[in-house]
Amino acid sequence: MKFFVDTANLDQIREAQDLGVLDGVTTNPSLMAKEGITGKENILNHYKAICEIVDGDVSAEVIATDFEGMVREGEELAALNPQIVVKLPMIKDGIKAAKYFKDKGIKTNVTLVFSAGQALLAAKAGATYVSPFIGRLDDISTDGLNLIAEIREIYDNYGFETQILAASVRHTMHVLNCAKIGADVMTGPLSSILGLLKHPLTDIGLEKFLADYKKGN
Ligand code: G3P
């Protein structure tokens, strides 16, 4: 299972990278705005800075909602660095653009996916990643993890190579349950990764080991 961090915060990206378990980064316009990154030039430079920190794929989202605009923006983003994955919204022109980029050998991430049917279309278009938003489904009393399971079943039935990127992950239980279901990737806040470290018995056990060592040394 790949671990992506879902942020545009460079310090958090560095911290995840330093831990040695980071496989990539996802961003979106809201996460960029949260870091105060505005204006095309600044946004493009920020993507370049993220690519310098991490080794893996970095999703960069288009703003256009029409096919020609998505192609223009996506090509510009992809030219920044080979690590860039063009992130496209799950709309008709986004699917057309996913097919276009597939044929050009450019990686894509189809985002804002909330149903298995949408995920099936994204796979048919040859998307590299599909991003079902599990947290936002949970927010409206709909089981986000169930969607991951449905997509896993459909993709396995036909051997689709599109990777299931569980997105809108909010906490460690999302990560763990996505791993059980077989999501290929999860993207979430740094806290959802660091939370996996925690167990009180680990802390108690370590304290005891160190105390016993001190008795004899
Ligand atoms: O990966 C998708 C993500 O950025 C949305 O997360 O927490 O805003 O629903 P959230």
Side-chain angles (χ1 to χ4, degrees):
M1 186 190 204
K2 291 187 208 166
F3 277 11
F4 289 180
V5 73
D6 193 32
T7 182
N9 182 292
L10 298 183
D11 288 338
Q12 289 185 17
I13 293 169
R14 265 187 220 104
E15 189 177 341
Q17 174 70 19
D18 285 350
L19 190 59
V21 298
L22 189 68
D23 300 296
V25 173
T26 52
T27 60
N28 62 38
S30 306
L31 293 171
M32 281 287 188
K34 193 173 163 197
E35 298 307 317
I37 314 296
T38 55
K40 187 176 164 185
E41 185 117 339
N42 290 335
I43 290 173
L44 295 183
N45 284 334
H46 204 72
Y47 285 135
K48 285 201 246 177
I50 294 173
C51 290
E52 275 168 27
I53 299 171
V54 301
D55 301 321
D57 286 349
V58 174
S59 285
E61 190 158 342
V62 300
I63 304 302
T65 53
D66 64 299
F67 175 74
E68 288 77 15
M70 287 186 204
V71 164
R72 201 170 43 245
E73 277 182 36
E75 285 180 340
E76 196 173 357
L77 290 168
L80 291 175
N81 189 299
Q83 289 166 254
I84 293 285
V85 175
V86 178
K87 203 169 178 190
L88 301 161
M90 177 64 228
I91 56 177
K92 200 173 182 182
D93 281 24
I95 289 299
K96 277 174 67 179
K99 174 74 172 82
Y100 171 90
F101 286 120
K102 163 81 179 164
D103 293 344
K104 291 204 100 183
I106 292 173
K107 288 184 183 178
T108 57
N109 174 358
V110 174
T111 189
L112 289 167
V113 166
F114 292 94
S115 79
Q118 291 178 324
L120 177 57
L121 258 186
K124 287 288 292 174
T128 313
Y129 297 104
V130 65
S131 288
F133 277 30
I134 62 175
R136 291 193 193 183
L137 282 170
D138 288 355
D139 287 344
I140 56 158
S141 316
T142 303
D143 187 357
L145 289 168
N146 186 50
L147 175 60
I148 302 293
E150 277 187 301
I151 301 171
R152 181 74 282 155
E153 183 180 356
I154 291 168
Y155 283 11
D156 288 351
N157 281 347
Y158 298 99
F160 283 122
E161 285 175 8
T162 298
Q163 295 176 55
I164 303 173
L165 195 173
S168 183
V169 157
R170 301 274 173 77
H171 47 70
T172 54
M173 283 312 290
H174 273 157
V175 178
L176 216 50
N177 285 318
C178 282
K180 283 188 195 168
I181 294 166
D184 301 287
V185 192
M186 80 83 200
T187 191
L190 180 59
S191 59
S192 67
I193 297 175
L194 296 182
L196 297 170
L197 283 166
K198 294 179 191 163
H199 199 289
L201 290 180
T202 303
D203 299 336
I204 293 166
L206 182 60
E207 207 176 313
K208 172 118 180 60
F209 284 155
L210 295 179
D212 289 344
Y213 173 82
K214 271 187 200 149
K215 277 183 213 161
N217 290 277

